[in-house]
Amino acid sequence: MVNLVTLLVLWFSVICTIYNVKLMVHGSARSESTRFYDFKVQTKRVAKLCNSKDIVTVNGMFPGPVVYAQEDDRIIVKVTNETPFNVTIHWHGIRQRRSCWYDGPSYITQCPIQAGQSFTYNFTVENQKGTFFWHAHVSWLRGTVHGAMVVYPKNMVPLPFKIPYQEQIIILGEYWLQDLQQIEHSTLVSGGAPPKADAYTINSHPGPNYNCSINDVYQLNVIQGKTYLLRLINAGLNTENFFAIANHNVTIVEADGEYTKPFATDMVMLGPGQTLNVLVSADQPVGKYSMVVAPYKSGRIVKYQNVSAIAYFNYIGAASDSSYLPAKLPKLDDKLAVKRFMDGLRSLNLANVFKEIDKNIFITIGLNVQKCHSKTPKQNCQAMNNGVLTASMNNISFVHPSISILEAYYKKINGSYTEDFPDAPSKFYDFVNGAPNNIPYDTESLNGTRTKVLEYGTKVQLILQNTGTVNIENHPIHIHGYSFYVVGYGTGNYDPLAAQFNLVDPPYMNTIGVPVGGWAAVRFVADNPGVWYMHCHIDIHQSWGLGMVFIVKNGKGDLESLPHPPPDLPPC
């Protein structure tokens, strides 16, 4: 009887959620202010690319369930771990105002949810709307443990563009035949680079270009003459991707959950962690058109999967056996195409960007090669010069502690981190071309769990400088707990006298692709107390240490202070 009642309650809640979502699209219904979700982290056997394997999922779904909400809703998600692996869930792009405990990165804001345990995430999507996503933030589990998060505007608040006929979530991903955690472990043990993905995917489907995948294809059926909103999410692990639809332009209207000025383009590029909302009109002759996902080959020594993922943008009425029209993409290493795309991203309205800066922090980002001290160098020293690959910010490779930094900070536990992350690298030189620590010279970095402490309300500018120590490539840098204005970017070494900034309508983002051999400047006000992780969203770079942590101190009163930890916070 208890199970029957539980099933009825779950069925009723799902129906209510679906009903509310349908009404919210039209902006006419009153919706509940609190939304409940039940996540069961469990393994599921899947067959792809002529092979079967167990993957980790939420509720047996890949991608996982969509979390729907409305601006300012409270979201409560009970996560129960039914696998033997540690797990946490991060709500990517949600700023977690005064709810840092629920942000999700393992050993930063919480210890993992262990096998057989549960933890309830409880936060409000305060003053936010748009396309976000959730994903695991332990090891490489997010390769299969991820899903979309759609936050609609408040009731009766109009969209800044014509209401589309229909909307669809499009999640870009990568798939490996080998177990993801084993890949991470064996890569770190080897000291070398990871294997390339076996396939790219669109909503978990690789498409007809891969073995045993002629029927493993995602298809979006459209009506000629209608306009569709595509919510694009790059949930991939290690590759930035181009996306395009054959013979169709798309119009970008949102980036990272913030409205943009409409920008028409024939392709987009998303790094891991980035989201875009685009409008596409089904204005071509009835037929079957390809949606293609291919790698942006920004790294000159990185191995990429060269076979593209294909999905179908299929007009209703097209012959079922018709062949698809291929999409055209720029050259896959075309930096100028990516720059033109980035240049088109502007905030919809005038931005309130501060002019006076309290804290200016210059951060170099890139890869390093450490000396290898293994007694079995053939197995453990597979980087160039028989070394070990690492990554760093200001030449410091981030090391995760054994307890969460937030808990250590709150409880004043000493010894797990330091507060001495530098405001600048120890030396300035030609970071991009011919730096004195380029191979074969000293390419080592320091190791440490270093944090940067900011007073509440500090106006921060970050200069993120790409380095050529090992390899220049595009780095998608994500900051937890904040969105930021991307006020400038360029190629080469940052020059404050020559840099051109946009303080009028810069895009407001949470993940910025720092250009190949270039720099990006971002600004934010440190008005969200807590412990916030900043890292490259290419997972192997994160595993190698390309990250750091901001600690933002309390302001005045409860509304500017970190609340007490939740009672069910997972122990270490």
Side-chain angles (χ1 to χ4, degrees), residues 10-257:
L10 287 173
W11 174 83
F12 180 74
S13 65
V14 168
I15 293 299
C16 287
T17 300
I18 294 173
Y19 181 67
N20 278 335
V21 167
K22 286 183 176 179
L23 290 177
M24 280 192 292
V25 172
H26 298 283
S28 60
R30 295 183 62 84
S31 59
E32 297 296 327
S33 61
T34 302
R35 299 181 183 273
F36 297 87
Y37 289 87
D38 192 16
F39 278 17
K40 298 269 194 295
V41 182
Q42 49 198 207
T43 57
K44 175 186 176 67
R45 193 147 192 91
V46 297
K48 287 191 183 298
L49 310 178
C50 313
N51 287 272
S52 296
K53 73 167 187 175
D54 289 330
I55 64 171
V56 181
T57 68
V58 167
N59 297 350
M61 300 169 64
F62 174 48
V66 181
V67 172
Y68 288 104
Q70 201 168 9
E71 184 179 1
D72 291 337
D73 277 355
R74 178 173 293 278
I75 297 175
I76 297 176
V77 186
K78 182 179 180 181
V79 177
T80 303
N81 186 3
E82 298 178 353
T83 76
F85 313 110
N86 287 340
V87 72
T88 66
I89 301 294
H90 169 54
W91 314 92
H92 187 106
I94 301 302
R95 292 191 277 268
Q96 298 290 359
R97 300 282 299 178
R98 299 178 303 282
S99 54
C100 184
W101 298 103
Y102 302 109
D103 188 43
S106 60
Y107 300 105
I108 306 297
T109 62
Q110 68 169 96
C111 292
I113 307 167
Q114 300 174 34
Q117 302 300 310
S118 64
F119 177 53
T120 299
Y121 293 87
N122 185 339
F123 57 91
T124 300
V125 284
E126 184 177 323
N127 196 32
Q128 288 190 267
K129 53 189 174 293
T131 300
F132 308 93
F133 75 118
W134 56 265
H135 60 78
H137 216 302
V138 172
S139 183
W140 287 12
L141 283 182
R142 77 172 180 87
T144 56
V145 181
H146 60 250
M149 185 172 180
V150 177
V151 182
Y152 290 98
K154 292 180 179 179
N155 296 329
M156 309 310 295
V157 174
L159 298 172
F161 48 84
K162 186 178 179 180
I163 296 176
Y165 174 74
Q166 194 178 81
E167 63 179 67
Q168 183 60 49
I169 294 165
I170 304 289
I171 298 181
L172 317 184
E174 294 171 278
Y175 189 83
W176 279 264
L177 293 173
Q178 191 180 346
D179 178 81
L180 289 173
Q181 293 185 98
Q182 290 178 0
I183 293 175
E184 183 194 28
H185 175 73
S186 60
T187 298
L188 295 179
V189 168
S190 76
K196 62 187 179 183
D198 292 296
Y200 303 114
T201 60
I202 300 174
N203 286 348
S204 83
H205 301 282
N209 287 345
Y210 297 98
N211 291 335
C212 303
S213 302
I214 192 70
N215 295 316
D216 196 356
V217 189
Y218 172 73
Q219 178 167 298
L220 174 59
N221 293 317
V222 300
I223 299 173
Q224 190 179 42
K226 301 295 186 182
T227 297
Y228 295 80
L229 176 71
L230 304 185
R231 299 180 180 271
L232 304 177
I233 300 168
N234 191 339
L237 286 180
N238 291 332
T239 309
E240 297 169 299
N241 292 110
F242 289 111
F243 172 87
I245 305 175
N247 292 18
H248 292 74
N249 284 342
V250 300
T251 300
I252 300 169
V253 293
E254 178 190 302
D256 280 3

Side-chain angles (χ1 to χ4, degrees), residues 114 139 168 173 199 336 344 384 404 440 472 496 553 567:
Q114 300 174 34
S139 183
Q168 183 60 49
L336 290 179
M384 53 284 294
S404 84
I472 54 171
K553 297 168 70 172

